[in-house]
Amino acid sequence: MCVCVCVIAHACRHLWIRVWVQAGGCLSRRKGRALEVCGLKSAGSRACDCGPGLQGPQPTATMVGKGAKGMLNGAVPSEATKKDQNLKRGNWGNQIEFVLTSVGYAVGLGNVWRFPYLCYRNGGGAFMFPYFIMLIFCGIPLFFMELSFGQFASQGCLGVWRLSPMFKGVGYGMMVVSTYIGIYYNVVICIAFYYFFSSMTHVLPWAYCNNPWNTPDCTGVLDASNLTNGSRPATLPSNLSHLLNHSLQRTSPSEEYWRRYVLKLSDDIGNFGEVRMPLLGCLGVSWVVVFLCLIRGVKSSGKVVYFTATFPYVVLTILFVRGVTLEGAFTGIMYYLTPQWDKILEAKVWGDAASQIFYSLGCAWGGLITMASYNKFHNNCYRDSIIISITNCATSVYAGFVIFSILGFMANHLGVDVSRVADHGPGLAFVAYPEALTLLPISPLWSLLFFFMLILLGLGTQFCLLETLVTAIVDEVGNEWILKKKTYVTLGVAVAGFLLGIPLTSQAGIYWLLLMDNYAASFSLVVISCIMCVSIMYIYGHRNYFQDIQMMLGFPPPLFFQICWRFVSPAIIFFILIFTVIQYQPITYNHYQYPGWAVAIGFLMALSSVICIPLYALFQLCRTDGDTLLQRLKNATKPSRDWGPALLEHRTGRYAPTIPASPEDGLEVQPLHPDKAQIPMVGSNGSSRLQDSRI
């Protein structure tokens, strides 16, 4: 039995004394799980029995001073990271922070402006059937795979590929995708900021057609005589219904405000024109907000998500209650949900359902791996994956009720079909829905709430995108200097993102934004995800991965997930890829057709992430030892020497050191001297590696 003796003197109660580790610290095995440090329950003098321990010299640890409670892995009590398992990288403050961050990452703008449109376009309530089928057989399994992948290795999207170094290009591809998305996503947030600030007025600027930027074709849904009170007229102008039936002859004030004032849209993607200074200022504001929320990594963003991930649901509920009480709301909701069962037999409906599940959950972006890498090693990520996935999809359905209740009210007000006012993408967020808000009493209030919700939804995703890039860079370099300077890395990535986003605030910016949205993060994500599944299940080996999960969670993945990972999910991903290719249509924006050179740039952006995979594979083959190509291929695909749990105390089973336990094994303690020792360790495959230890 090993005995931990804690001595506290009342006279030095408020003094901090560093941990002095003699012979390696107190270790114990509990229920066959990883080695754990014997927890000290109080600051009073007491001894804790660690139970049956390791053979060999019995270690002891002596600690004096306030703050002994919560002592873990030899952390210094005065350190802010005293409760972390991984002192170098840090962990989430608690599991709620991880769940809320992941919910904020998965629940984004697409839940509001894409899912409701796809639902009514593909059979209303009938679309829910293939949607939830794809969630069960593809969405949740892939979500669980990425969470478990990152949590087991405690590494970002690059470091996890110690599992099979030849496929590290998959991690670089994820970084490229996250870079593209992070650039244009923050531009969308900045536009939401602009509309939010513009809503701080007693009359919304897009309510009427009497502004300098309006054209003679502008026809508002409000009578100009009600300008002072902002209320809607009892009857529509006699010619309004006729004009509404001829969309080419009518433009709404919200559309002209969007195109002619906010964007000052140019006539071609190559005609950048001037940079819209108001948008540029809002872009700076959005990047500053993102940086400040991530200034301390997950320690700061984990606190911010308590608000950014929960308040959108408060706003959605407020808008829902207001929407369902409006005249015509039921018509809009029925239009949204009415099932058209004949469409279930169409391949396009199943393709849309699979694509929406895949893209909305954020698979293959690298964010899920990154967020999970900050979990404690034994966290139940299986439970988390189910909770987060279902929450994401339920939010999409809930947002559909909110959107279509308001659009139904607008359609009833105008005397047209709901399909005439329904839209998706930026057209819904910045044209159709703002126009509907002008019909509500106290319309600026509802506009403020709506755009504030969009800002929070966007920020939740943007936090993870930026943290994905920063974590990948820091983990790849991996030295003490960059760990201490992580804030500067975050600042550098934020400044680079701001500079690269400036062209998107020009008069042609919306063309480039949609080009990046359609190509940079489309079929490339499907390819990356498919290769990730194949490399883990068939190159690394499904039995090895199942054993890793059992060592981490205490139980193997359920049989259903084993079958999905090996067969069902890769088949669905391949189906999505084929569907994307077959259904491909050249990108358009309203009536504008993108030129061929712009489409070529879009394909190059898509290929820039996928090409990382074969290029890095060739690079790894060239630098791997071996007499023949087959031998090189075998060596390049087998796990590297340092693959496995990040902390020695978790390296059990086939990852356990093959030499007798040394005093430094399993402990990460604060250094008494700044120098670090490099201690050679022998892995389970008989190869040696260097393990950093703090003495």
Side-chain angles (χ1 to χ4, degrees), residues 123-136:
F127 180 73
M128 301 291 184
F129 180 74
Y131 181 75
F132 285 107
I133 289 293
M134 293 300 175
L135 170 67
I136 294 172

Side-chain angles (χ1 to χ4, degrees), residues 11-86:
C12 58
R13 184 180 181 86
H14 299 287
L15 296 179
W16 300 105
I17 308 298
R18 289 187 180 276
V19 178
W20 186 270
V21 178
Q22 302 173 356
C26 177
L27 301 176
S28 68
R29 290 186 186 272
R30 293 199 311 184
K31 298 181 181 179
R33 295 178 67 180
L35 295 175
E36 296 182 2
V37 175
C38 180
L40 301 177
K41 301 299 183 182
S42 70
S45 300
R46 67 163 50 184
C48 58
D49 187 358
C50 292
L54 297 175
Q55 299 298 323
Q58 300 306 312
T60 60
T62 303
M63 181 181 68
V64 180
K66 183 180 179 180
K69 186 176 182 179
M71 186 72 175
L72 188 59
N73 298 337
V76 178
S78 59
E79 297 284 333
T81 57
K82 63 183 179 182
K83 293 184 180 180
D84 290 345
Q85 281 187 331
N86 195 324

Side-chain angles (χ1 to χ4, degrees), residues 40 70 159 185 204 232 291 486 505 510 580 638 644 678:
L40 301 177
Y185 214 83
L204 294 175
R232 68 182 180 93
F291 169 70
K486 184 177 179 180
T505 62
I510 192 65
T580 304
K638 71 179 183 180
Q678 298 289 333

Side-chain angles (χ1 to χ4, degrees), residues 118 122 126-135 137-138 341-358 572 575-576 579 583:
L118 286 178
N122 289 291
F127 180 73
M128 301 291 184
F129 180 74
Y131 181 75
F132 285 107
I133 289 293
M134 293 300 175
L135 170 67
F137 288 97
C138 184
W341 297 109
D342 56 311
K343 289 197 172 185
I344 288 185
L345 301 178
E346 298 179 10
K348 185 177 184 301
V349 175
W350 289 84
D352 280 343
S355 299
Q356 177 63 16
I357 284 291
F358 184 83
I572 293 177
F575 166 71
I576 297 174
F579 168 79
Q583 296 292 326

Side-chain angles (χ1 to χ4, degrees), residues 345-412:
L345 301 178
E346 298 179 10
K348 185 177 184 301
V349 175
W350 289 84
D352 280 343
S355 299
Q356 177 63 16
I357 284 291
F358 184 83
Y359 294 127
S360 67
L361 288 176
C363 298
W365 290 16
L368 298 178
I369 295 175
T370 301
M371 295 302 103
S373 71
Y374 292 101
N375 278 334
K376 303 269 177 87
F377 183 74
H378 294 299
N379 170 64
N380 191 347
C381 57
Y382 167 66
R383 171 203 60 203
D384 296 340
S385 62
I386 295 177
I387 293 174
I388 297 167
S389 300
I390 293 178
T391 301
N392 172 71
C393 296
T395 302
S396 298
V397 176
Y398 187 38
F401 284 96
V402 177
I403 297 298
F404 274 88
S405 63
I406 299 292
L407 295 182
F409 163 68
M410 183 178 181
N412 178 76

Side-chain angles (χ1 to χ4, degrees), residues 100-173:
L100 290 178
T101 301
S102 300
V103 167
Y105 172 67
V107 177
L109 299 174
N111 297 73
V112 174
W113 72 27
R114 178 169 172 80
F115 174 80
Y117 173 81
L118 286 178
C119 192
Y120 93 80
R121 191 184 72 178
N122 289 291
F127 180 73
M128 301 291 184
F129 180 74
Y131 181 75
F132 285 107
I133 289 293
M134 293 300 175
L135 170 67
I136 294 172
F137 288 97
C138 184
I140 297 179
L142 288 178
F143 206 92
F144 180 30
M145 173 180 282
E146 292 202 28
L147 291 189
S148 60
F149 196 18
Q151 180 175 307
F152 181 78
S154 297
Q155 291 288 311
C157 61
L158 291 182
V160 292
W161 289 104
R162 297 169 182 172
L163 170 140
S164 184
M166 183 176 173
F167 291 93
K168 193 175 182 178
V170 174
Y172 283 108

